[in-house]
Amino acid sequence: MKFFLPVLFLLCTLSAYSQEFTLLNSQEEYFVPTGKLQEFPLSIHNQSDKPLRLAVRFLDTDQSNEDLPASLCIGEDCLDKEGILEINTLRAGETFDDISFKLKASFKEIQGNIRLLFFDTDAPANALERSFTFHVQGEFPGGIMYQRPNLKVSNAYPNPIVSAATIDYSISDMNDKAQIVVLNLLGNQVFAQDLPPAENSLKIPADELSNGIYFYTLNLNGKNVATKKMVVRK
């Protein structure tokens, strides 16, 4: 009986402070080309059986606002390093999608970490801390998959993929017909999309892909010229 009571108290305490919400579609690393404005969506899910009034604030960062000007936004309402941003009250089981990172990268190549604290305003101990790393790199932050005169295609990044991967590219010869094809381990095609010369990036969404290993291929003018591996880990 003397052993049972402390254990019962510990279990009750852990239950009282168990996580009641979670962050969806987030990645640990984000890659941003220099000089570009990028937006990265986040989602928060109330996994409890009661409404939660949530808010978020920045914790310490290792870069100044000038070096890593990232904002956390709900719609057009944005938080820049100081203060608290209130997230709408979430009903039991509700997911809130209208939240995102916005980062205006300078032309300086840097890497910086951002730490956020999401918390229940009615019970601050019910909190979730997350750290994100931002890489501000040159025109092709994912590295080069294939290159020749008048054409350059990057690797898919981030890799592993949580919500989506990006492939950057530059095509100056309008006669080139380029396409990215994704295959699973069985060799079945799960994604295919052309690379229009008028654009410069392609998104590979992971929402319809199962966790696992895939291969993506650059098809150029009817020939497979490069193949790389990517991992989906949601």
Side-chain angles (χ1 to χ4, degrees):
M1 186 66 176
K2 291 182 180 180
F3 174 76
F4 175 75
L5 288 176
V7 171
L8 179 61
F9 175 77
L10 176 61
L11 290 175
C12 292
T13 302
L14 291 175
S15 176
Y17 291 98
S18 61
Q19 191 62 57
E20 295 184 330
F21 61 94
T22 188
L23 197 61
L24 304 177
N25 302 329
S26 67
Q27 301 167 183
E28 294 182 357
E29 292 186 288
Y30 294 89
F31 296 83
V32 185
T34 54
K36 296 291 184 68
L37 173 64
Q38 295 275 25
E39 185 172 356
F40 305 99
L42 299 174
S43 298
I44 297 178
H45 176 67
N46 179 0
Q47 56 191 10
S48 73
D49 58 359
K50 62 183 180 181
L52 295 178
R53 297 198 325 167
L54 301 179
V56 59
R57 68 180 180 89
F58 279 93
L59 298 176
D60 294 335
T61 63
D62 67 356
Q63 293 285 341
S64 68
N65 288 356
E66 292 75 19
D67 286 339
L68 196 64
S71 301
L72 189 70
C73 301
I74 295 178
E76 299 301 321
D77 188 12
C78 295
L79 178 67
D80 297 314
K81 301 300 188 296
E82 296 183 0
I84 293 175
L85 188 63
E86 291 191 6
I87 302 167
N88 294 349
T89 298
L90 300 187
R91 299 185 299 273
E94 182 181 5
T95 299
F96 183 73
D97 296 316
D98 193 21
I99 183 168
S100 64
F101 277 117
K102 291 183 180 179
L103 190 144
K104 178 64 173 73
S106 67
F107 288 91
K108 176 181 179 182
E109 293 195 357
I110 60 171
Q111 173 181 314
N113 295 321
I114 289 177
R115 293 168 57 226
L116 296 175
L117 183 67
F118 299 85
F119 59 95
D120 183 349
T121 58
D122 295 325
N126 181 26
L128 177 66
E129 181 180 330
R130 283 290 184 268
S131 179
F132 307 92
T133 299
F134 287 86
H135 302 270
V136 179
Q137 299 178 339
E139 182 184 9
F140 294 90
I144 300 300
M145 177 187 186
Y146 181 82
Q147 182 176 3
R148 74 174 201 186
N150 302 321
L151 183 143
K152 187 185 295 185
V153 180
S154 81
N155 296 319
Y157 67 93
N159 192 1
I161 303 168
V162 176
S163 58
T166 297
I167 292 179
D168 299 314
Y169 64 92
S170 173
I171 301 176
S172 56
D173 186 346
M174 298 301 169
N175 293 319
D176 279 332
K177 306 297 182 184
Q179 183 185 53
I180 294 292
V181 177
V182 180
L183 305 177
N184 61 21
L185 285 176
L186 298 177
N188 298 322
Q189 180 177 303
V190 295
F191 177 87
Q193 189 163 322
D194 294 338
L195 303 181
E199 300 180 13
N200 55 26
S201 68
L202 167 71
K203 292 288 185 183
I204 302 176
D207 52 356
E208 296 185 3
L209 301 179
S210 302
N211 286 349
I213 297 174
Y214 296 83
F215 294 93
Y216 62 99
T217 295
L218 172 63
N219 186 303
L220 181 62
N221 299 323
K223 296 181 180 180
N224 295 339
V225 296
T227 297
K228 293 291 184 74
K229 182 177 75 173
M230 70 181 187
V231 177
V232 175
R233 189 181 299 159
K234 295 183 283 188

